[in-house]
Amino acid sequence: MDTDCLTLYVDVENLIDVDKEAITSVFEQWPEEFPRPSILKLYVRADQVEVWRVWATDRFVSIDVQIVGVQHYAVNTSKNSADIALALDAITDLLKNRTTYVAVLSDDSDFATLFGKISQEGLRTDNASV
């Protein structure tokens, strides 16, 4: 990777009823002192991938939009499926130099562990939250 790249990982499942508004608001209020997202990864239910792809690619035309469909095998027991996929992707993207910075949009405090692990492993972080 030749330039800095910030990937915004969005746990759509935890943004119940405010998902699209929250994502749009984050881009509108993005702090000027931070690099802007180059990649937007949305973690959505597998049966909603195309709906989200149409919305996101139309709304965010200047960045790389990636939709990750998360399969749920049971109605009430797959709560953390997207969380696990998101955390693994973020770590892998950093290790494979596909991204330089990680930002997570979620209503789930469990991602603090992800940022702790990134710091512990000495991967590049700026300890900022959006």
Side-chain angles (χ1 to χ4, degrees), residues 52-65:
W52 279 96
R53 184 180 326 279
V54 168
W55 176 79
T57 56
D58 182 59
R59 177 66 181 87
F60 305 103
V61 295
S62 63
I63 64 173
D64 179 11
V65 173

Side-chain angles (χ1 to χ4, degrees), residues 25-68:
S25 179
V26 163
F27 277 92
E28 290 171 351
Q29 298 177 28
W30 195 264
E32 289 184 30
E33 61 271 17
F34 295 135
R36 292 202 51 88
S38 304
I39 301 170
L40 172 63
K41 284 192 176 185
L42 302 176
Y43 292 78
V44 304
R45 292 183 63 96
D47 62 341
Q48 299 176 354
V49 168
E50 277 310 305
V51 172
W52 279 96
R53 184 180 326 279
V54 168
W55 176 79
T57 56
D58 182 59
R59 177 66 181 87
F60 305 103
V61 295
S62 63
I63 64 173
D64 179 11
V65 173
Q66 300 174 16
I67 311 298
V68 179

